[in-house]
Amino acid sequence: MSTSRSRVLAGAVALALVSGGGVLGGDLASATAQSGSAAVVPSADPVRSGRLDLGAPDLAETRSTRALQPGVTLTEITRGGADSHLVWTLEALIPASSSSPDPDAPPRSISDEASARAQADRLAAKGFPARVERVAQPPTADVPAGTLGYRVRLGSYATKAEADAANVRLAAAGEHASSVYTGWDGNPADRGPWHLKVVTLDPRSFRGTLDASYGPDLHDRETTSALSRAAGATVGVNAGFFVLDPAAGAPGDPAGVGVYRGRLLSEPTNGRPALVMHDDGSRTGVERLSWQGRVSVNGRGVGRLAGVNRVPGLIRNCGGDSGDSPTALPLHDVTCTDDSELVAFTPQFGTRTPTGPGREVVVDAHHVVRSVNAERGTALAPGLTTVQATGTSAGALADVHVGERLDVSAGLVGEDGHARATDPGTTIVNGGPQLMQGGRERITQQQDGMVHPGDPSFAYGWVVKRNPRTFAGVDARGRTVIVTVDGRSTDDLGLSIPEAADVARSLGLVDAINLDGGGSTTMAVGGQVVNHPSDATGERPVGDALLVLPTRR
């Protein structure tokens, strides 16, 4: 795996809050450069004829490609097969393991060596011989190789049923563990199997539309296949991270940037990468975005805008401002808090705005204040937008009266502080970490919040271990490439984050980003799911999905 120094597309844009259509955004010219345009075009297509840098080098690999519509192909790749060296085992859990309702939240199972050995000794004293295993941190762009921590494991079993039965006996002794398959550990010598689905969109012959959909509204979730069927999409693939737990915000709300048809409907996780696309399939790229916004009354600025279409005070994945706790930096799967915020809402959020103490100002399409409410929570009728204020920020709206003018300006900002413009054909979805940049592997694990201080179990479960993955990017030919990889079963091992970067490079991507994965990983063709989502309940409802439509919008 190779790495390179960061090369980031950057910029900024000014947006205005308007209500004709109730959106944040205006007609903005795209400034996104075509990623990888200077790269040498390979003589062979690595999607169709290459080999994956994945598992043992001598593995059998099959590929089949079919056209889905002009300019769009689906390549299915199977690599490796059953591996007799892989078994089931029990992995001891550390007390007070995560109680998050997120089914992808990694359990706490990694500690320092002394604590792991003490845990193993305690288990042995109860008649459960245990072993202590070192867990390596693979090298990434901003985290050096080293020892991540130590895990405690017990037994070796041919089937999950045997491991589960042993776990019942362990639980009866007051101990806690989970049944895990060693094929999910990320050993580079494993022999599989892996199953990948790769959608390639060539802008030179594509005549459809590359888009994304969040469904009827941002608040609430829909399955990828349902979003695909509703839009009449040829292909649908799950997209960005989203709020799942009501305690973390509004379920379904993007946990990071969301720009749909040029409209900024969710603010960025400041500094994290995002996938930028255009409806004609050209100029796809990965950019690091932040943002800025202000609220003004009668032309006088009254405060900084903290968010768009999210529950005030709850910042999923963090990356907000200096008033947020515990950090203003990105911190994945953590909900930062801020008790004093100004947040704007558009009708795309849902039928009603969040309720609670504070103030809320309702504005019409002409930016005229129609009502001022002493509590938060109101119906969002077409043509109306609102601004909510909490804590001390409520004072910014204390002197606003019906009939006055209220304006909201908000803008995406690139890493260099310049405008990052979008037009009505632009879609941006959140993700992270970055996988490829400028033709080299560059995994920004710490920068993008996948390192939790004091909790090595997070990086272990999220970065090091294999999981279902969805990632996307652009190759040297300027083609958009979207990939799903199944996981969490003995028939589908999944990928670690370093393996995802290796696969992206193998497929010829020059810039690539990891999207939401785990139980969210889904691909639908013609509205029907064609992969194997890992949740026991089946396809998971998500926040948004990438869509390839058959006709030009």
Side-chain angles (χ1 to χ4, degrees), residues 202-497:
D202 190 340
R204 294 171 297 182
S205 52
F206 179 59
R207 297 296 177 266
T209 301
L210 179 58
D211 202 359
S213 174
Y214 51 82
D217 50 45
L218 292 168
H219 189 329
D220 291 330
R221 301 181 293 144
E222 292 78 28
T223 62
T224 297
S225 61
L227 292 172
S228 297
R229 288 191 296 270
T234 302
V235 181
V237 180
N238 71 289
F241 299 109
F242 57 91
V243 175
L244 184 63
D245 180 6
D253 186 26
V257 67
V259 174
Y260 307 92
R261 300 187 182 183
R263 299 167 172 175
L264 176 62
L265 298 183
S266 180
E267 80 276 9
T269 301
N270 282 332
R272 278 181 68 163
L275 180 67
V276 180
M277 301 168 294
H278 300 272
D279 56 3
D280 62 359
S282 70
R283 297 166 293 145
T284 293
V286 177
E287 300 186 46
R288 291 191 177 274
L289 299 169
S290 56
W291 82 302
Q292 58 187 6
R294 297 288 296 175
V295 178
S296 61
V297 178
N298 297 329
R300 176 180 58 87
V302 296
R304 177 187 177 276
L305 189 67
V308 181
N309 288 325
R310 68 162 169 81
V311 177
L314 300 175
I315 307 97
R316 185 63 174 171
N317 291 337
C318 302
D321 60 36
S322 59
D324 298 348
S325 178
T327 180
L329 298 175
L331 196 57
H332 194 68
D333 280 358
V334 171
T335 304
C336 282
T337 59
D338 190 336
D339 60 8
S340 179
E341 290 193 313
L342 293 172
V343 176
F345 289 88
T346 74
Q348 285 82 7
F349 174 77
T351 57
R352 294 190 63 85
T353 58
T355 60
R359 296 179 70 83
E360 184 164 20
V361 176
V362 180
V363 184
D364 68 15
H366 303 288
H367 311 281
V368 176
V369 174
R370 291 304 181 192
S371 66
V372 179
N373 304 323
E375 293 285 330
R376 294 185 296 115
T378 188
L380 268 175
L384 298 180
T385 57
T386 79
V387 175
Q388 290 192 348
T390 58
T392 57
S393 292
L397 303 182
D399 295 326
V400 177
H401 300 94
V402 172
E404 294 185 314
R405 181 181 179 91
L406 184 146
D407 293 285
V408 171
S409 63
L412 295 179
V413 179
E415 196 171 28
D416 64 359
H418 293 164
R420 174 52 62 228
T422 62
D423 60 27
T426 301
T427 293
I428 305 177
V429 296
N430 72 79
Q434 190 154 5
L435 302 175
M436 295 288 300
Q437 189 174 52
R440 296 179 181 272
E441 292 189 25
R442 180 175 172 80
I443 301 169
T444 46
Q445 178 182 346
Q446 181 164 319
Q447 181 178 1
D448 297 336
M450 283 73 183
V451 174
H452 286 194
D455 182 14
S457 294
F458 184 84
Y460 171 57
W462 210 95
V463 175
V464 176
K465 296 200 77 171
R466 290 175 174 141
N467 289 285
R469 304 286 181 185
T470 301
F471 59 90
V474 63
D475 69 7
R477 301 170 185 257
R479 302 180 304 179
T480 300
V481 180
I482 307 169
V483 183
T484 63
V485 185
D486 289 332
R488 294 184 184 160
S489 79
T490 56
D491 295 325
D492 297 293
L493 295 190
L495 301 177
S496 68
I497 286 293

